[in-house]
Amino acid sequence: MSTTAALIETEYRLGAHNYKPLDVVLSRGEGVYVWDIEGNRYLDCLSAYSAVNQGHCHPKIFKAMIEQAQKLTLTSRAFRNDQLAHFYEEIAALTGSHKVLPMNSGAEAVETAIKAVRKWGYEVKGVAAEKAEIIVCSNNFHGRTMGIVGFSTDPDARSGFGPFAPGFKIVPFGDIDAFREAISENTVAFLVEPILGEAGVIVPPVGYFAGVRELCTKHGITLILDEIQTGLGRTGKLLAEEHEGIEADVTLIGKALSGGFYPVSAVLSNSEVLGVLKPGQHGSTFGGNPLACAIARAALKALTEEGMIENSARMGERFQNGLRDIRSNIIKDVRGRGLMLAVELVPEAGGARQYCEALKARGILAKDTHGDTIRIAPPLVITEDQVDWAIEHFAAVLASA
Ligand SMILES: Cc1ncc(COP(=O)(O)O)c(C=O)c1O
């Protein structure tokens, strides 16, 4: 039996309970919409945590995937394939980076950057052996691997999973003095999200990143921006660093790099940092495979040629203004950039989850995070009418409280 209840029961019985999804079983997606197995349509306001920026099942990405899958899917990097060089060329031209290292998941891109930057610290900066330090921020989210959760400050992410790797210092996000004080002669990198995503869409104070950039340059510290969620149009710019008027030394992208068809991530850097990796020191069976490269090329093309980044800026402003106009005594804050938005509720509202359930009943899928915050991140192809329709329903749900 494949009823909603039966599928949920089977998932619960056989699967590990490491997620607590809304009880909606989806079977189809197109553009900003997804449909459940009962035929109900929803406006997707999560976009698979910003992986589906180009909209569900984008036809041109789909075509590229099918065409490539009929020819060649995987060679491993033991041999070369005819897609990788083109992927490098196109992403380098788009982002201005000099070197690219393709991986699969976002967490793998983060781990790759950590490895490369430590080696760079020893070989180029001259840090004493085994002493390299990386500064990170409290409330960070960079993924779920052992290396990464070791420097998380979220008890759910790290409790019970130790021991963890040393070499990380944690400072408050947005506090330039704390960052300055944490710097030592052993600091090789600052790893940070331009906007804290999982922590609830926390936008940094004006001038923070300009200050960070200056200190990194002054002290020879590699600035690694994790743009896995903020990148590729989500905030209304190709990369969120553009809002700050700075350039990272290493940029991490993933998620929307495939438009949601396939796990594809990449580390982008100048030649110095990725240049330290020699054959045999890092790799991935699937990283840089021809199918992933063909999909990523089509995904980047769709994003840039179809005006999605500009639309994200315009629709993001409309959405944010609409949310700000809602008169409700339970809204504490509305914030975000582009189509990376959040509504934080007052503690008396009793948690964001029930409002996400109410939105679901009205045909909107949004995600609660950290108890009191509703995250809103629709595909970047959303239209004015769809934004206005969504605002009406957010207003009805939040005003009725
Ligand atoms: C900023 C950031 N970094 C890294 C990751 C990890 O990506 P993945 O889940 O593909 O490993 C995420 C995922 O949500 C993220 O938001």
Side-chain angles (χ1 to χ4, degrees):
M1 265 219 310
S2 295
T3 62
T4 299
L7 290 171
I8 291 173
E9 191 279 323
T10 305
E11 264 189 37
Y12 192 81
R13 188 164 37 83
L14 297 178
H17 298 175
N18 55 327
Y19 277 90
K20 191 167 177 281
L22 287 186
D23 283 340
V24 57
V25 181
L26 302 173
S27 56
R28 189 161 78 83
E30 188 182 330
V32 296
Y33 294 115
V34 285
W35 285 262
D36 69 16
I37 57 170
E38 293 164 22
N40 300 307
R41 188 185 78 171
Y42 304 90
L43 177 70
D44 181 0
C45 278
L46 186 65
S47 305
Y49 296 99
S50 295
V52 192
N53 284 3
Q54 295 87 339
H56 288 275
C57 300
H58 189 288
K60 288 185 184 158
I61 311 175
F62 173 74
K63 184 165 175 276
M65 182 176 87
I66 295 298
E67 283 175 4
Q68 185 60 42
Q70 285 169 334
K71 288 191 289 195
L72 183 68
T73 57
L74 183 62
T75 54
S76 84
R77 297 286 303 279
F79 311 119
R80 299 179 192 273
N81 72 70
D82 69 352
Q83 291 297 309
L84 186 62
H86 294 302
F87 169 62
Y88 284 170
E89 249 173 5
E90 287 161 18
I91 196 143
L94 189 64
T95 61
S97 51
H98 304 163
K99 286 260 179 269
V100 187
L101 198 159
M103 295 295 284
N104 311 286
S105 68
E108 284 176 308
V110 176
E111 293 278 357
T112 302
I114 291 170
K115 280 179 70 175
V117 88
R118 280 183 169 176
K119 202 159 194 295
W120 168 87
Y122 300 127
E123 293 180 3
V124 180
K125 185 167 176 172
V127 170
E130 305 295 309
K131 294 285 183 211
E133 285 173 0
I134 296 174
I135 302 175
V136 298
C137 285
S138 44
N139 299 316
N140 69 68
F141 187 86
H142 298 287
R144 298 293 194 174
T145 56
M146 284 306 298
I148 293 170
V149 299
F151 56 81
S152 170
T153 57
D154 176 356
D156 281 343
R158 58 177 279 131
S159 295
F161 300 122
F164 299 117
F168 298 93
K169 269 190 191 171
I170 301 172
V171 298
F173 179 71
D175 183 339
I176 193 72
D177 294 328
F179 175 60
R180 187 185 298 108
E181 279 160 30
I183 294 170
S184 79
E185 60 182 8
N186 296 327
T187 308
V188 295
F190 182 35
L191 166 64
V192 61
E193 298 156 80
I195 295 173
L196 300 184
E198 297 302 307
V201 188
I202 312 294
V203 180
V206 175
Y208 174 63
F209 273 106
V212 162
R213 179 66 273 179
E214 201 179 313
L215 285 170
C216 286
T217 304
K218 182 171 163 199
H219 295 279
I221 296 167
T222 302
L223 175 57
I224 308 173
L225 285 186
D226 179 344
E227 297 243 22
I228 290 164
Q229 188 164 152
T230 55
L232 305 178
R234 176 51 57 192
T235 69
K237 303 268 189 198
L238 177 71
L239 296 172
E241 68 174 17
E242 295 168 47
H243 292 289
E244 311 292 344
I246 61 156
E247 270 183 40
D249 301 304
V250 174
T251 302
L252 310 178
I253 53 174
K255 294 186 189 270
L257 185 52
S258 74
F261 280 83
Y262 200 84
V264 189
S265 65
V267 180
L268 311 174
S269 93
N270 53 30
S271 311
E272 250 193 10
V273 175
L274 283 177
V276 299
L277 295 176
K278 301 287 177 298
Q281 295 175 345
H282 192 64
S284 154
T285 302
F286 277 83
N289 74 70
L291 184 59
C293 291
I295 290 171
R297 293 177 67 198
L300 289 174
K301 213 165 167 211
L303 197 71
T304 51
E305 289 185 358
E306 295 177 28
M308 293 183 192
I309 302 171
E310 299 76 16
N311 194 58
S312 169
R314 276 199 316 274
M315 293 305 114
E317 201 184 336
R318 190 178 184 94
F319 213 137
Q320 187 165 169
N321 288 339
L323 291 169
R324 283 186 196 286
D325 286 344
I326 296 174
R327 291 285 146 251
S328 162
N329 57 356
I330 60 164
I331 295 181
K332 183 174 165 195
D333 190 25
V334 173
R335 56 178 177 259
R337 262 190 191 141
L339 283 168
M340 185 171 182
L341 298 165
V343 177
E344 186 178 342
L345 306 178
V346 296
E348 300 77 45
R353 174 90 181 191
Q354 59 182 298
Y355 301 95
C356 291
E357 300 279 3
L359 286 164
K360 173 180 155 252
R362 289 169 168 273
I364 294 179
L365 295 182
K367 177 75 176 78
D368 55 299
T369 183
H370 285 259
D372 295 323
T373 302
I374 305 173
R375 276 190 347 181
I376 304 162
L380 310 185
V381 294
I382 195 167
T383 63
E384 279 186 6
D385 287 350
Q386 289 162 342
V387 169
D388 296 348
W389 177 87
I391 295 291
E392 254 176 57
H393 290 277
F394 272 95
V397 164
L398 297 173
S400 65

